[in-house]
Amino acid sequence: MRTRPSPSFVVAVLALVVASGGAGYAAGTVTSSQIADNTIQSRDIRNATIEGVDVASRSLPRTKISKGCASGEVAVFGGCVATASRGPSSHQAAVDDCNNRNGRLPTTGEVQWIRSHMEFAWADGNPSQYEFTGDFTGGYPYTPIAFDRSGNGIDNASANLFWHHCVTS
């Protein structure tokens, strides 16, 4: 005697196949145009999948309350930069100073921008003095880079006492 599946069993198996296939289909075909604005939350995003270029400038909430830049500072590079330099100091002391101010040394590109804007004082007022960047040379030994106001660079600024600006948040 042969057992035949009941009609309800056939319908249940068919429903299970369709339901599981539908979820896989949705996972592979949902696009950003089908997602309503402001509905994705942090828990919905896998870690290390979003980069800075994927996020609009100043769109993320700050972890600290910010009431703008302090007196003598200008809002640039996503933070505040004092119009006056600090120093002279060693590179490590410059890094420590910026860290203590909840900031960082500017990148090479940011230092190039600062040196081209006269509202920022350069070093001790002497354009031939150098200022540290937060960047390092690309090869071993990795050493900090500094520039003077004319754009001349030093690739091994580690043993020097130079000036610096900080980008603070």
PDB file of all heavy atoms in Angstrom, residues 9-43:
ATOM      1  N   PHE A   9      -0.654  18.927   3.351  1.00  0.00           N
ATOM      2  CA  PHE A   9       0.796  18.787   3.437  1.00  0.00           C
ATOM      3  C   PHE A   9       1.471  19.398   2.214  1.00  0.00           C
ATOM      4  O   PHE A   9       2.471  20.099   2.328  1.00  0.00           O
ATOM      5  CB  PHE A   9       1.165  17.297   3.570  1.00  0.00           C
ATOM      6  CG  PHE A   9       2.649  17.069   3.645  1.00  0.00           C
ATOM      7  CD1 PHE A   9       3.363  17.350   4.794  1.00  0.00           C
ATOM      8  CD2 PHE A   9       3.347  16.568   2.542  1.00  0.00           C
ATOM      9  CE1 PHE A   9       4.721  17.137   4.855  1.00  0.00           C
ATOM     10  CE2 PHE A   9       4.703  16.365   2.597  1.00  0.00           C
ATOM     11  CZ  PHE A   9       5.404  16.643   3.752  1.00  0.00           C
ATOM     12  N   VAL A  10       0.934  19.163   1.036  1.00  0.00           N
ATOM     13  CA  VAL A  10       1.485  19.715  -0.205  1.00  0.00           C
ATOM     14  C   VAL A  10       1.434  21.239  -0.164  1.00  0.00           C
ATOM     15  O   VAL A  10       2.404  21.926  -0.505  1.00  0.00           O
ATOM     16  CB  VAL A  10       0.725  19.162  -1.439  1.00  0.00           C
ATOM     17  CG1 VAL A  10       1.153  19.891  -2.704  1.00  0.00           C
ATOM     18  CG2 VAL A  10       0.947  17.671  -1.566  1.00  0.00           C
ATOM     19  N   VAL A  11       0.321  21.800   0.290  1.00  0.00           N
ATOM     20  CA  VAL A  11       0.185  23.258   0.379  1.00  0.00           C
ATOM     21  C   VAL A  11       1.185  23.823   1.389  1.00  0.00           C
ATOM     22  O   VAL A  11       1.814  24.863   1.161  1.00  0.00           O
ATOM     23  CB  VAL A  11      -1.270  23.649   0.736  1.00  0.00           C
ATOM     24  CG1 VAL A  11      -1.369  25.124   1.089  1.00  0.00           C
ATOM     25  CG2 VAL A  11      -2.204  23.292  -0.402  1.00  0.00           C
ATOM     26  N   ALA A  12       1.369  23.148   2.518  1.00  0.00           N
ATOM     27  CA  ALA A  12       2.310  23.626   3.545  1.00  0.00           C
ATOM     28  C   ALA A  12       3.745  23.639   3.025  1.00  0.00           C
ATOM     29  O   ALA A  12       4.496  24.588   3.233  1.00  0.00           O
ATOM     30  CB  ALA A  12       2.198  22.751   4.792  1.00  0.00           C
ATOM     31  N   VAL A  13       4.165  22.572   2.328  1.00  0.00           N
ATOM     32  CA  VAL A  13       5.519  22.508   1.765  1.00  0.00           C
ATOM     33  C   VAL A  13       5.700  23.588   0.707  1.00  0.00           C
ATOM     34  O   VAL A  13       6.732  24.277   0.661  1.00  0.00           O
ATOM     35  CB  VAL A  13       5.813  21.098   1.198  1.00  0.00           C
ATOM     36  CG1 VAL A  13       7.102  21.101   0.390  1.00  0.00           C
ATOM     37  CG2 VAL A  13       5.889  20.081   2.325  1.00  0.00           C
ATOM     38  N   LEU A  14       4.717  23.772  -0.138  1.00  0.00           N
ATOM     39  CA  LEU A  14       4.783  24.798  -1.172  1.00  0.00           C
ATOM     40  C   LEU A  14       4.889  26.193  -0.561  1.00  0.00           C
ATOM     41  O   LEU A  14       5.682  27.025  -1.010  1.00  0.00           O
ATOM     42  CB  LEU A  14       3.563  24.695  -2.092  1.00  0.00           C
ATOM     43  CG  LEU A  14       3.540  25.638  -3.282  1.00  0.00           C
ATOM     44  CD1 LEU A  14       4.749  25.394  -4.182  1.00  0.00           C
ATOM     45  CD2 LEU A  14       2.254  25.466  -4.069  1.00  0.00           C
ATOM     46  N   ALA A  15       4.128  26.449   0.499  1.00  0.00           N
ATOM     47  CA  ALA A  15       4.187  27.746   1.180  1.00  0.00           C
ATOM     48  C   ALA A  15       5.566  27.980   1.790  1.00  0.00           C
ATOM     49  O   ALA A  15       6.113  29.086   1.748  1.00  0.00           O
ATOM     50  CB  ALA A  15       3.101  27.822   2.246  1.00  0.00           C
ATOM     51  N   LEU A  16       6.159  26.949   2.369  1.00  0.00           N
ATOM     52  CA  LEU A  16       7.495  27.055   2.958  1.00  0.00           C
ATOM     53  C   LEU A  16       8.541  27.380   1.899  1.00  0.00           C
ATOM     54  O   LEU A  16       9.397  28.245   2.096  1.00  0.00           O
ATOM     55  CB  LEU A  16       7.843  25.743   3.668  1.00  0.00           C
ATOM     56  CG  LEU A  16       9.207  25.687   4.355  1.00  0.00           C
ATOM     57  CD1 LEU A  16       9.281  26.732   5.453  1.00  0.00           C
ATOM     58  CD2 LEU A  16       9.451  24.298   4.912  1.00  0.00           C
ATOM     59  N   VAL A  17       8.485  26.734   0.764  1.00  0.00           N
ATOM     60  CA  VAL A  17       9.430  26.979  -0.330  1.00  0.00           C
ATOM     61  C   VAL A  17       9.283  28.409  -0.841  1.00  0.00           C
ATOM     62  O   VAL A  17      10.268  29.128  -1.025  1.00  0.00           O
ATOM     63  CB  VAL A  17       9.238  25.948  -1.470  1.00  0.00           C
ATOM     64  CG1 VAL A  17      10.009  26.354  -2.709  1.00  0.00           C
ATOM     65  CG2 VAL A  17       9.650  24.569  -1.000  1.00  0.00           C
ATOM     66  N   VAL A  18       8.066  28.870  -1.047  1.00  0.00           N
ATOM     67  CA  VAL A  18       7.837  30.230  -1.548  1.00  0.00           C
ATOM     68  C   VAL A  18       8.306  31.261  -0.540  1.00  0.00           C
ATOM     69  O   VAL A  18       8.947  32.253  -0.883  1.00  0.00           O
ATOM     70  CB  VAL A  18       6.339  30.423  -1.908  1.00  0.00           C
ATOM     71  CG1 VAL A  18       6.033  31.889  -2.165  1.00  0.00           C
ATOM     72  CG2 VAL A  18       5.971  29.573  -3.109  1.00  0.00           C
ATOM     73  N   ALA A  19       8.014  31.042   0.751  1.00  0.00           N
ATOM     74  CA  ALA A  19       8.406  32.003   1.785  1.00  0.00           C
ATOM     75  C   ALA A  19       9.914  32.123   1.908  1.00  0.00           C
ATOM     76  O   ALA A  19      10.475  33.214   1.987  1.00  0.00           O
ATOM     77  CB  ALA A  19       7.792  31.598   3.120  1.00  0.00           C
ATOM     78  N   SER A  20      10.615  30.995   1.912  1.00  0.00           N
ATOM     79  CA  SER A  20      12.074  31.061   2.048  1.00  0.00           C
ATOM     80  C   SER A  20      12.721  31.641   0.805  1.00  0.00           C
ATOM     81  O   SER A  20      13.709  32.362   0.877  1.00  0.00           O
ATOM     82  CB  SER A  20      12.648  29.687   2.372  1.00  0.00           C
ATOM     83  OG  SER A  20      12.385  28.790   1.319  1.00  0.00           O
ATOM     84  N   GLY A  21      12.180  31.362  -0.336  1.00  0.00           N
ATOM     85  CA  GLY A  21      12.714  31.933  -1.574  1.00  0.00           C
ATOM     86  C   GLY A  21      12.459  33.423  -1.671  1.00  0.00           C
ATOM     87  O   GLY A  21      13.273  34.178  -2.176  1.00  0.00           O
ATOM     88  N   GLY A  22      11.342  33.886  -1.134  1.00  0.00           N
ATOM     89  CA  GLY A  22      11.018  35.310  -1.163  1.00  0.00           C
ATOM     90  C   GLY A  22      11.978  36.144  -0.337  1.00  0.00           C
ATOM     91  O   GLY A  22      12.383  37.230  -0.719  1.00  0.00           O
ATOM     92  N   ALA A  23      12.372  35.635   0.822  1.00  0.00           N
ATOM     93  CA  ALA A  23      13.323  36.368   1.666  1.00  0.00           C
ATOM     94  C   ALA A  23      14.674  36.481   0.970  1.00  0.00           C
ATOM     95  O   ALA A  23      15.318  37.533   0.987  1.00  0.00           O
ATOM     96  CB  ALA A  23      13.486  35.663   3.005  1.00  0.00           C
ATOM     97  N   GLY A  24      15.113  35.395   0.330  1.00  0.00           N
ATOM     98  CA  GLY A  24      16.377  35.444  -0.412  1.00  0.00           C
ATOM     99  C   GLY A  24      16.301  36.391  -1.581  1.00  0.00           C
ATOM    100  O   GLY A  24      17.241  37.131  -1.871  1.00  0.00           O
ATOM    101  N   TYR A  25      15.179  36.405  -2.247  1.00  0.00           N
ATOM    102  CA  TYR A  25      14.985  37.324  -3.373  1.00  0.00           C
ATOM    103  C   TYR A  25      15.042  38.775  -2.888  1.00  0.00           C
ATOM    104  O   TYR A  25      15.712  39.611  -3.471  1.00  0.00           O
ATOM    105  CB  TYR A  25      13.643  37.054  -4.045  1.00  0.00           C
ATOM    106  CG  TYR A  25      13.283  38.061  -5.109  1.00  0.00           C
ATOM    107  CD1 TYR A  25      13.858  37.993  -6.368  1.00  0.00           C
ATOM    108  CD2 TYR A  25      12.387  39.082  -4.843  1.00  0.00           C
ATOM    109  CE1 TYR A  25      13.543  38.922  -7.346  1.00  0.00           C
ATOM    110  CE2 TYR A  25      12.067  40.020  -5.804  1.00  0.00           C
ATOM    111  CZ  TYR A  25      12.645  39.934  -7.059  1.00  0.00           C
ATOM    112  OH  TYR A  25      12.341  40.860  -8.016  1.00  0.00           O
ATOM    113  N   ALA A  26      14.374  39.075  -1.780  1.00  0.00           N
ATOM    114  CA  ALA A  26      14.350  40.443  -1.256  1.00  0.00           C
ATOM    115  C   ALA A  26      15.743  40.882  -0.822  1.00  0.00           C
ATOM    116  O   ALA A  26      16.149  42.014  -1.067  1.00  0.00           O
ATOM    117  CB  ALA A  26      13.372  40.540  -0.095  1.00  0.00           C
ATOM    118  N   ALA A  27      16.489  39.995  -0.180  1.00  0.00           N
ATOM    119  CA  ALA A  27      17.825  40.355   0.297  1.00  0.00           C
ATOM    120  C   ALA A  27      18.747  40.704  -0.856  1.00  0.00           C
ATOM    121  O   ALA A  27      19.630  41.542  -0.732  1.00  0.00           O
ATOM    122  CB  ALA A  27      18.415  39.213   1.113  1.00  0.00           C
ATOM    123  N   GLY A  28      18.551  40.087  -1.995  1.00  0.00           N
ATOM    124  CA  GLY A  28      19.434  40.340  -3.125  1.00  0.00           C
ATOM    125  C   GLY A  28      18.975  41.441  -4.051  1.00  0.00           C
ATOM    126  O   GLY A  28      19.734  41.879  -4.909  1.00  0.00           O
ATOM    127  N   THR A  29      17.746  41.917  -3.898  1.00  0.00           N
ATOM    128  CA  THR A  29      17.242  42.883  -4.875  1.00  0.00           C
ATOM    129  C   THR A  29      16.771  44.207  -4.291  1.00  0.00           C
ATOM    130  O   THR A  29      16.381  45.083  -5.034  1.00  0.00           O
ATOM    131  CB  THR A  29      16.074  42.275  -5.674  1.00  0.00           C
ATOM    132  OG1 THR A  29      15.028  41.939  -4.765  1.00  0.00           O
ATOM    133  CG2 THR A  29      16.522  41.051  -6.442  1.00  0.00           C
ATOM    134  N   VAL A  30      16.768  44.398  -2.981  1.00  0.00           N
ATOM    135  CA  VAL A  30      16.364  45.674  -2.401  1.00  0.00           C
ATOM    136  C   VAL A  30      17.467  46.688  -2.653  1.00  0.00           C
ATOM    137  O   VAL A  30      18.634  46.445  -2.365  1.00  0.00           O
ATOM    138  CB  VAL A  30      16.073  45.538  -0.894  1.00  0.00           C
ATOM    139  CG1 VAL A  30      15.820  46.888  -0.265  1.00  0.00           C
ATOM    140  CG2 VAL A  30      14.899  44.612  -0.674  1.00  0.00           C
ATOM    141  N   THR A  31      17.112  47.847  -3.200  1.00  0.00           N
ATOM    142  CA  THR A  31      18.086  48.901  -3.492  1.00  0.00           C
ATOM    143  C   THR A  31      17.806  50.116  -2.632  1.00  0.00           C
ATOM    144  O   THR A  31      16.750  50.221  -2.007  1.00  0.00           O
ATOM    145  CB  THR A  31      18.022  49.306  -4.975  1.00  0.00           C
ATOM    146  OG1 THR A  31      16.744  49.897  -5.220  1.00  0.00           O
ATOM    147  CG2 THR A  31      18.233  48.102  -5.892  1.00  0.00           C
ATOM    148  N   SER A  32      18.755  51.057  -2.609  1.00  0.00           N
ATOM    149  CA  SER A  32      18.602  52.246  -1.779  1.00  0.00           C
ATOM    150  C   SER A  32      17.397  53.088  -2.184  1.00  0.00           C
ATOM    151  O   SER A  32      16.806  53.762  -1.356  1.00  0.00           O
ATOM    152  CB  SER A  32      19.880  53.085  -1.826  1.00  0.00           C
ATOM    153  OG  SER A  32      20.140  53.486  -3.144  1.00  0.00           O
ATOM    154  N   SER A  33      16.993  53.038  -3.457  1.00  0.00           N
ATOM    155  CA  SER A  33      15.824  53.810  -3.875  1.00  0.00           C
ATOM    156  C   SER A  33      14.528  53.244  -3.304  1.00  0.00           C
ATOM    157  O   SER A  33      13.512  53.924  -3.267  1.00  0.00           O
ATOM    158  CB  SER A  33      15.747  53.859  -5.406  1.00  0.00           C
ATOM    159  OG  SER A  33      15.536  52.562  -5.919  1.00  0.00           O
ATOM    160  N   GLN A  34      14.562  51.988  -2.843  1.00  0.00           N
ATOM    161  CA  GLN A  34      13.370  51.370  -2.262  1.00  0.00           C
ATOM    162  C   GLN A  34      13.313  51.503  -0.744  1.00  0.00           C
ATOM    163  O   GLN A  34      12.339  51.074  -0.133  1.00  0.00           O
ATOM    164  CB  GLN A  34      13.332  49.892  -2.652  1.00  0.00           C
ATOM    165  CG  GLN A  34      13.195  49.681  -4.147  1.00  0.00           C
ATOM    166  CD  GLN A  34      13.510  48.255  -4.531  1.00  0.00           C
ATOM    167  OE1 GLN A  34      14.460  47.663  -4.029  1.00  0.00           O
ATOM    168  NE2 GLN A  34      12.714  47.701  -5.439  1.00  0.00           N
ATOM    169  N   ILE A  35      14.320  52.115  -0.140  1.00  0.00           N
ATOM    170  CA  ILE A  35      14.369  52.281   1.312  1.00  0.00           C
ATOM    171  C   ILE A  35      13.939  53.703   1.639  1.00  0.00           C
ATOM    172  O   ILE A  35      14.482  54.665   1.102  1.00  0.00           O
ATOM    173  CB  ILE A  35      15.784  52.008   1.859  1.00  0.00           C
ATOM    174  CG1 ILE A  35      16.195  50.568   1.556  1.00  0.00           C
ATOM    175  CG2 ILE A  35      15.842  52.285   3.348  1.00  0.00           C
ATOM    176  CD1 ILE A  35      17.634  50.268   1.896  1.00  0.00           C
ATOM    177  N   ALA A  36      12.977  53.845   2.541  1.00  0.00           N
ATOM    178  CA  ALA A  36      12.501  55.167   2.937  1.00  0.00           C
ATOM    179  C   ALA A  36      13.608  55.911   3.683  1.00  0.00           C
ATOM    180  O   ALA A  36      14.367  55.305   4.457  1.00  0.00           O
ATOM    181  CB  ALA A  36      11.264  55.037   3.819  1.00  0.00           C
ATOM    182  N   ASP A  37      13.703  57.209   3.453  1.00  0.00           N
ATOM    183  CA  ASP A  37      14.704  58.026   4.133  1.00  0.00           C
ATOM    184  C   ASP A  37      14.541  57.925   5.650  1.00  0.00           C
ATOM    185  O   ASP A  37      13.429  57.834   6.169  1.00  0.00           O
ATOM    186  CB  ASP A  37      14.584  59.491   3.705  1.00  0.00           C
ATOM    187  CG  ASP A  37      15.070  59.713   2.284  1.00  0.00           C
ATOM    188  OD1 ASP A  37      15.745  58.824   1.740  1.00  0.00           O
ATOM    189  OD2 ASP A  37      14.769  60.783   1.720  1.00  0.00           O
ATOM    190  N   ASN A  38      15.675  57.967   6.344  1.00  0.00           N
ATOM    191  CA  ASN A  38      15.736  57.972   7.811  1.00  0.00           C
ATOM    192  C   ASN A  38      15.182  56.702   8.455  1.00  0.00           C
ATOM    193  O   ASN A  38      14.710  56.736   9.572  1.00  0.00           O
ATOM    194  CB  ASN A  38      15.016  59.210   8.371  1.00  0.00           C
ATOM    195  CG  ASN A  38      15.617  60.483   7.848  1.00  0.00           C
ATOM    196  OD1 ASN A  38      16.831  60.632   7.805  1.00  0.00           O
ATOM    197  ND2 ASN A  38      14.774  61.412   7.419  1.00  0.00           N
ATOM    198  N   THR A  39      15.200  55.577   7.749  1.00  0.00           N
ATOM    199  CA  THR A  39      14.720  54.327   8.342  1.00  0.00           C
ATOM    200  C   THR A  39      15.843  53.367   8.702  1.00  0.00           C
ATOM    201  O   THR A  39      15.634  52.473   9.511  1.00  0.00           O
ATOM    202  CB  THR A  39      13.745  53.599   7.393  1.00  0.00           C
ATOM    203  OG1 THR A  39      14.411  53.304   6.169  1.00  0.00           O
ATOM    204  CG2 THR A  39      12.508  54.431   7.139  1.00  0.00           C
ATOM    205  N   ILE A  40      17.015  53.497   8.127  1.00  0.00           N
ATOM    206  CA  ILE A  40      18.147  52.617   8.448  1.00  0.00           C
ATOM    207  C   ILE A  40      18.782  53.105   9.742  1.00  0.00           C
ATOM    208  O   ILE A  40      19.067  54.290   9.905  1.00  0.00           O
ATOM    209  CB  ILE A  40      19.187  52.623   7.312  1.00  0.00           C
ATOM    210  CG1 ILE A  40      18.555  52.144   6.006  1.00  0.00           C
ATOM    211  CG2 ILE A  40      20.391  51.764   7.682  1.00  0.00           C
ATOM    212  CD1 ILE A  40      18.049  50.724   6.054  1.00  0.00           C
ATOM    213  N   GLN A  41      19.035  52.200  10.649  1.00  0.00           N
ATOM    214  CA  GLN A  41      19.633  52.538  11.925  1.00  0.00           C
ATOM    215  C   GLN A  41      21.019  51.921  12.020  1.00  0.00           C
ATOM    216  O   GLN A  41      21.373  51.043  11.241  1.00  0.00           O
ATOM    217  CB  GLN A  41      18.752  52.035  13.064  1.00  0.00           C
ATOM    218  CG  GLN A  41      17.370  52.672  13.058  1.00  0.00           C
ATOM    219  CD  GLN A  41      16.496  52.113  14.164  1.00  0.00           C
ATOM    220  OE1 GLN A  41      16.907  51.247  14.934  1.00  0.00           O
ATOM    221  NE2 GLN A  41      15.279  52.614  14.253  1.00  0.00           N
ATOM    222  N   SER A  42      21.785  52.374  13.002  1.00  0.00           N
ATOM    223  CA  SER A  42      23.151  51.894  13.176  1.00  0.00           C
ATOM    224  C   SER A  42      23.201  50.376  13.297  1.00  0.00           C
ATOM    225  O   SER A  42      24.075  49.730  12.737  1.00  0.00           O
ATOM    226  CB  SER A  42      23.773  52.538  14.412  1.00  0.00           C
ATOM    227  OG  SER A  42      25.070  52.061  14.619  1.00  0.00           O
ATOM    228  N   ARG A  43      22.264  49.787  13.994  1.00  0.00           N
ATOM    229  CA  ARG A  43      22.271  48.326  14.182  1.00  0.00           C
ATOM    230  C   ARG A  43      22.021  47.575  12.879  1.00  0.00           C
ATOM    231  O   ARG A  43      22.273  46.379  12.785  1.00  0.00           O
ATOM    232  CB  ARG A  43      21.264  47.917  15.247  1.00  0.00           C
ATOM    233  CG  ARG A  43      19.828  48.135  14.833  1.00  0.00           C
ATOM    234  CD  ARG A  43      18.871  47.603  15.883  1.00  0.00           C
ATOM    235  NE  ARG A  43      17.509  47.786  15.440  1.00  0.00           N
ATOM    236  CZ  ARG A  43      16.597  48.502  16.067  1.00  0.00           C
ATOM    237  NH1 ARG A  43      16.920  49.102  17.192  1.00  0.00           N
ATOM    238  NH2 ARG A  43      15.390  48.612  15.590  1.00  0.00           N
TER     239      ARG A  43
END
